[in-house]
Amino acid sequence: MKVRMKVSALLAARATRAHRKAWTAVFAALALTSLLLGAFGLTLVSAWSAQPRVERYAGADLVVAGDQTTRFSATSLGERETASAGLTERVRIPRTALSVVRGVPGVRMAVADTEFRVGLAGRAATGHPWETARLAPYALRTGRAPERADEVVVGSVEAGRDGVGSVEAGRDGVGSAEAGRGGAGSAEAGRGGVGSAEADGGGVGSAEADRAGAGSAEADRNGAGSAEAGRAGAGHIGERLTLRVGGRDAAYTVVGVADGPRTDVGDGPRTAVWFTGAEARRLSGHPEALDAIGVVAEPGTDRAELAGRVRKALDTAGVTGIGHRADGDPAAVRVLAGSERGEAEFLAAGPARGELLAALGSVAGAVVLVALLVVSSTIVQALRQRSHELGLLRAVGATPGQLRGAVGREVGRVAAWAALVGAAGAVPAYLGLRALLDARGALPTGLELTLPPLLWPAPLVTAAVTVLVARIAALIGCSRTATARPAEALRERAPGRARGITGLVLLGVGASSAGTAALQQGATAAAAAGAAAVTMVIACAVLGPWIAEGAMRLLGAPLRLFGPGGRLAAANCAASAHRLGAAITPIVLVTAFAGVQLSGGATMTHVADAQAHRMLRADVAVRADGGLTAGAVERIRELPGVRAATEVVPGTVLLARNELGSPEIERLPVFGVTPERLTRTLDPGVRNGDLARLRPGTVAIGADRADSLGARPGSTVTLRFGDGQEARLRVVATYERSIALGDFLLSRDELLRHTSLPGADRILVAAAPDADRKALTKALARAVPGARVERDPAPVRGEAAGEALAEVVSVAVVAAIGAFTVIAVLSTLALIATGRRPELRLLRLAGAGRRQLRRMLRLEAAATVVTGLAVGAAVASVPLLAFSAATAGTLPYLPPLQAAAIVSVVATTAAAGSLPPVWGTLRGRYVPSPSGD
């Protein structure tokens, strides 16, 4: 045994020194594999441990809130399975829960929180009761707490970023002594108006307040809505602000400026405005419901025990979330502690975390598969170039074990160093991917990807996996030579029949998966198309020699048209088809994978944009970030020159259904509209029914979705809104342009009932043919105070959840596959070219000129590129055709620039791998050396 190990070690050491160039490409491929596996592993672990940050509830020990998860159960193969999805709209809890929590032993303070949209000088802000400031805590910078109903405290953006105020300050009464005397957390505050009866007695909304409102010339001169006000938060002490809540304007006096926050709900950052408790309750629109309850424990109370007591008290009192939920989807009330408290603040963070995990898991699998293919093909090609050397060792008496041991040690040495280099680069690559996610806005505000220090060495685990993959690939690469009899080891054997049968079976499986994609929709169709592409790429790798042989027969005649060099290229390609098959495989891989990843999303975006432009009939749009005044649509319709006006509100719904026998919950973008004369501003392309009948309790459905659900006008469908409430809606129409508009079109009022913090309001306006556009624009601005008039309105288009995330992930995957392909093509062609040096010398001895040989090499490289691109495009077209036909009813689309980038990268890489390694052989007059080199 010791002798065998010494022989193997000696052979490995000498072979490593003798074949440094061959192992350089293997080193690069393994280093990149280790880097990518480490980076994706760190990102997966970071996403798995990610939690929404705690901001507004940082001073609370516990937070009581509604359950932001909806569930759907179904029986599959005799077993009960449950699917779940996060809810992006607030699940509110009854106000009665406040008294229950306050009665629990160990609770020092329980503060009710409610959040609502506030319009401020044309911008969007968020309103809260002042009591909740102590939960952050947000300290008063200047002024005092609001004591009357017409007084407010505004948030200071800079203060929020500076993080003034500590948790202790929040528990002891927010801010300084002056703040305490003004009301935050002190006894005077409780008596003076935070939630008191006196605060409720202010006369908000009167005519005098309206006339005194900010937005007038005086307020503008004093700074309301100015840049200075924006930088300070929203206003200055003593300033009168006109705030718009629930479609009504009222004047308030700024009595204090406090720290942040800036809440981002998808349409930009929003400054906070604090009201008295009673006024916030009135303005919220749901006085008997709360968003959450912040709980501060008595000193020395164990948080875990207190959470259990609060949980038991709520269960005993029968407190549940508000709204009708589906059967099997309990509307429970959650008690959150520690990092979970952020889930009650940033509602989109939880669903986004699940989407990120799913996306990273799928692409990590694709990257691992590509890495295996590239690493295996690179190692196999490096060993194939030495097949005669290995065969000679076998012929002179080396045992199969010695041969495997030598190759395994040789590869192991290279893999170990490469894996360590890749692991060192995994952390910077992970940080780069995080920066890309942040830069593209792929993650919602509040979701923080954290990585505990204990997990930073995780790339060492992926490095070990890389070494294991390399050892397995080495054993596969030398298996035929090691097991051959000594007399046959020097002979090059053709691919076996089993390999051809395996490749054909894989092709059939890929085609079957593409057929499945053609029968499905949405994420299921995309997953089936991706599986088809992966399977067919593997099939092409297995069938590489036969594909190359067939392609070279087809290209032989065109190649011969290029003179002696072309005839040499045609003869060489026909004779060495198996060798070129190894070079074609990575080109097929990058073309197919990049084509599927880029074209899938580009096709949907292209079709959606085209539908959105055809659908838009409006001439102008009125946009109000802070909300529209009540009756704005009706006033606009009465203006001279207005033909039709439609208010459009974006939102989401969830569709729970059985998919291939398993429960599934799909999140879908939707719009709520006012149906009067809808098709004059927005034409969905009605197929059946009448959109004018769209009212609360009804819905219009996209034609494709209606077909899959078996729905038609008059039937009913069951949907879950963003707050988890279920509703059975009667179908009034079906329409064609559902890729842009979404699969469901709802009444504006229906959708707003289930939207906790609406985004910017938008009204599409169609002008009469003879209308004066300039006069109409001025009239619209006067009719809707605080709104902007857009003369060239953007098309209405719904964006699916995670669209930005999918874009970033696609870019990362294509970049990773492209890097692998560059290494694989360069290494494979360079090894092939290096092994052909004796052949080229022989051709020169036979009289071939340098120009003829250069042309031969260029034509061979061109034939390799053309074959790889053609086969890769064919492989990609099968799943893409199925996916595009199923989801968009059109042909696949790939932007010309992206297609040109794929072709140029492949062509440049092939040229770099084919010509430079043999330049020395082709340079100057050929004079044979005594050694033959």
Side-chain angles (χ1 to χ4, degrees):
M1 180 64 69
K2 290 183 179 181
V3 174
R4 180 181 298 176
M5 292 179 62
K6 289 181 179 180
V7 172
S8 299
L10 178 64
L11 291 174
R14 292 190 174 181
T16 303
R17 289 193 296 269
H19 300 285
R20 289 178 181 175
K21 292 182 179 180
W23 290 119
T24 299
V26 176
F27 182 94
L30 289 170
L32 182 60
T33 300
S34 178
L35 184 148
L36 290 175
L37 291 180
F40 277 106
L42 287 173
T43 309
L44 275 170
V45 173
S46 178
W48 179 75
S49 61
Q51 292 287 346
R53 70 169 179 265
V54 183
E55 185 176 295
R56 290 192 288 117
Y57 300 133
D61 295 295
L62 305 174
V63 176
V64 178
D67 187 1
Q68 293 292 143
T69 303
T70 185
R71 301 165 184 84
F72 172 60
S73 299
T75 302
S76 176
L77 300 177
E79 296 184 2
R80 193 72 172 170
E81 296 182 4
T82 300
S84 62
L87 299 172
T88 54
E89 302 294 344
R90 177 75 61 184
V91 179
R92 296 188 173 96
I93 58 178
R95 185 169 287 271
T96 54
L98 185 61
S99 59
V100 174
V101 174
R102 284 174 173 170
V104 175
V107 173
R108 174 188 175 190
M109 178 175 61
V111 180
D113 187 20
T114 183
E115 186 177 32
F116 49 93
R117 181 175 65 170
V118 176
L120 169 61
R123 304 190 310 275
T126 54
H128 299 270
W130 171 246
E131 273 190 320
T132 60
R134 71 184 68 180
L135 295 176
Y138 296 124
L140 275 168
R141 286 198 156 195
T142 57
R144 60 176 177 81
E147 298 175 354
R148 296 169 44 190
D150 63 344
E151 294 179 345
V152 295
V153 171
V154 296
S156 170
V157 175
E158 281 76 13
R161 283 197 291 264
D162 293 341
V164 179
S166 63
V167 174
E168 289 72 13
R171 287 178 183 154
D172 296 335
V174 178
S176 60
E178 289 76 6
R181 287 193 295 271
S186 66
E188 288 77 5
R191 292 191 296 269
V194 180
S196 66
E198 288 79 2
D200 203 18
V204 179
S206 65
E208 291 76 9
D210 232 81
R211 285 194 295 271
S216 64
E218 291 76 8
D220 233 19
R221 284 193 294 271
N222 291 333
S226 65
E228 290 77 8
R231 286 191 293 270
H236 305 290
I237 301 298
E239 187 176 345
R240 295 286 285 177
L241 297 178
T242 293
L243 303 181
R244 181 175 297 167
V245 181
R248 288 177 169 78
D249 292 347
Y252 293 82
T253 301
V254 178
V255 297
V257 176
D259 296 344
R262 283 181 67 135
T263 304
D264 194 333
V265 295
D267 59 347
R270 295 184 172 187
T271 303
V273 180
W274 285 279
F275 301 80
T276 63
E279 180 68 0
R281 179 176 180 179
R282 183 184 72 84
L283 294 175
S284 67
H286 44 85
E288 299 306 318
L290 302 175
D291 287 358
I293 300 172
V295 180
V296 178
E298 293 282 1
T301 303
D302 183 82
R303 292 185 182 182
E305 292 182 4
L306 180 60
R309 291 198 294 268
V310 171
R311 171 79 271 167
K312 184 177 180 180
L314 291 170
D315 290 341
T316 302
V319 177
T320 61
I322 292 177
H324 172 69
R325 301 284 284 262
D327 294 338
D329 183 23
V333 175
R334 298 184 66 194
V335 179
L336 308 174
S339 60
E340 292 181 340
R341 294 170 296 168
E343 297 177 13
E345 295 186 49
F346 302 99
L347 305 183
R353 174 177 171 270
E355 292 164 2
L356 178 60
L357 282 172
L360 289 175
S362 63
V363 301
V367 169
V368 169
L369 180 61
V370 172
L372 288 173
L373 287 174
V374 171
V375 168
S376 299
S377 64
T378 306
I379 292 177
V380 168
Q381 186 62 33
L383 295 176
R384 182 178 294 168
Q385 295 297 117
R386 299 166 48 198
S387 58
H388 291 289
E389 171 191 329
L390 297 176
L392 182 61
L393 289 173
R394 185 79 177 92
V396 298
T399 65
Q402 289 174 337
L403 210 57
R404 292 193 193 98
V407 172
R409 286 172 177 267
E410 191 176 348
V411 173
R413 289 182 179 182
V414 176
W417 286 107
L420 290 176
V421 170
V427 174
Y430 158 72
L431 296 175
L433 183 57
R434 276 188 54 179
L436 181 61
L437 289 170
D438 293 336
R440 299 303 295 269
L443 297 179
T445 300
L447 182 61
E448 296 183 340
L449 299 183
T450 58
L451 194 63
L454 291 176
L455 295 177
W456 285 103
L460 295 177
V461 177
T462 57
V465 173
T466 303
V467 174
L468 179 63
V469 169
R471 293 295 296 263
I472 294 174
L475 292 177
I476 295 173
C478 71
S479 60
R480 297 185 67 179
T481 304
T483 56
R485 289 179 294 181
E488 297 177 350
L490 292 172
R491 235 186 271 168
E492 189 168 345
R493 290 182 287 179
R497 180 180 298 178
R499 178 174 177 174
I501 294 174
T502 302
L504 293 175
V505 170
L506 288 173
L507 274 180
V509 172
S512 175
S513 184
T516 301
L519 300 175
Q520 302 299 322
Q521 287 185 337
T524 306
V534 170
T535 307
M536 296 184 76
V537 165
I538 297 175
C540 290
V542 175
L543 297 174
W546 291 279
I547 292 175
E549 183 178 355
M552 296 314 160
R553 287 180 181 177
L554 291 176
L555 295 174
L559 289 175
R560 293 186 185 94
L561 299 177
F562 291 91
R567 289 192 290 272
L568 285 172
N572 184 67
C573 289
S576 306
H578 66 283
R579 183 174 61 194
L580 292 177
I584 289 170
T585 298
I587 298 177
V588 173
L589 185 148
V590 69
T591 306
F593 270 108
V596 171
Q597 287 289 336
L598 297 176
S599 181
T603 299
M604 299 303 295
T605 301
H606 182 69
V607 174
D609 289 342
Q611 286 190 2
H613 282 89
R614 289 196 299 269
M615 185 169 54
L616 185 65
R617 301 293 177 86
D619 300 295
V620 295
V622 178
R623 179 187 175 95
D625 292 337
L628 294 165
T629 54
V633 180
E634 289 73 17
R635 289 197 302 274
I636 289 175
R637 288 172 182 160
E638 294 173 357
L639 293 176
V642 172
R643 188 182 182 192
T646 303
E647 185 176 354
V648 180
V649 178
T652 58
V653 297
L654 297 103
L655 179 64
R657 61 196 181 108
N658 284 322
E659 184 70 28
L660 300 178
S662 298
E664 180 181 285
I665 301 178
E666 188 176 1
R667 191 188 315 278
L668 302 168
V670 297
F671 287 99
V673 297
T674 51
E676 293 80 7
R677 298 182 180 180
L678 173 63
T679 55
R680 294 188 178 182
T681 58
L682 198 67
D683 184 11
V686 176
R687 176 193 284 183
N688 297 307
D690 184 7
L691 287 175
R693 299 167 58 193
L694 194 62
R695 298 287 186 275
T698 64
V699 66
I701 307 183
D704 292 338
R705 180 68 68 175
D707 292 340
S708 67
L709 296 177
R712 63 185 185 278
S715 60
T716 60
V717 296
T718 301
L719 295 177
R720 302 185 187 191
F721 290 96
D723 59 356
Q725 296 191 41
E726 185 183 59
R728 289 180 60 83
L729 305 174
R730 182 171 53 86
V731 179
V732 297
T734 60
Y735 55 90
E736 296 287 349
R737 294 171 180 146
S738 58
I739 297 178
L741 194 57
D743 286 333
F744 298 96
L745 189 63
L746 301 163
S747 162
R748 174 203 61 183
D749 297 335
E750 179 85 71
L751 190 58
L752 285 178
R753 290 176 190 168
H754 304 278
T755 304
S756 52
L757 207 59
D761 290 341
R762 191 170 184 230
I763 299 176
L764 300 177
V765 180
D770 57 347
D772 184 342
R773 298 296 176 86
K774 291 184 178 179
L776 177 59
T777 300
K778 293 179 180 179
L780 290 170
R782 289 192 300 268
V784 188
R788 303 194 309 271
V789 179
E790 302 171 347
R791 296 185 179 181
D792 186 18
V796 175
R797 180 175 177 269
E799 292 188 4
E803 189 169 315
L805 175 62
E807 181 183 349
V808 172
V809 169
S810 293
V811 169
V813 171
V814 171
I817 293 174
F820 271 124
T821 302
V822 168
I823 292 174
V825 174
L826 272 176
S827 62
T828 303
L829 292 178
L831 289 171
I832 291 174
T834 302
R836 294 181 62 191
R837 287 174 181 171
E839 172 192 333
L840 296 176
R841 296 191 187 103
L842 184 61
L843 287 172
R844 293 207 64 188
L845 277 176
R850 287 175 295 175
R851 184 175 300 176
Q852 293 173 340
L853 294 180
R854 289 196 187 100
R855 175 171 289 186
M856 177 192 74
L857 293 172
R858 292 192 187 101
L859 290 173
E860 288 177 4
T864 303
V865 169
V866 169
T867 302
L869 289 174
V871 175
V875 169
S877 66
V878 174
L880 282 175
L881 282 170
F883 172 76
S884 301
T887 57
T890 184
L891 293 175
Y893 171 79
L894 183 64
L897 287 178
Q898 295 181 1
I902 295 174
V903 173
S904 60
V905 168
V906 170
T908 303
T909 306
S914 300
L915 300 178
V918 294
W919 275 346
T921 307
L922 301 180
R923 190 179 297 121
R925 295 182 60 189
Y926 176 69
V927 179
S929 64
S931 63
D933 292 336

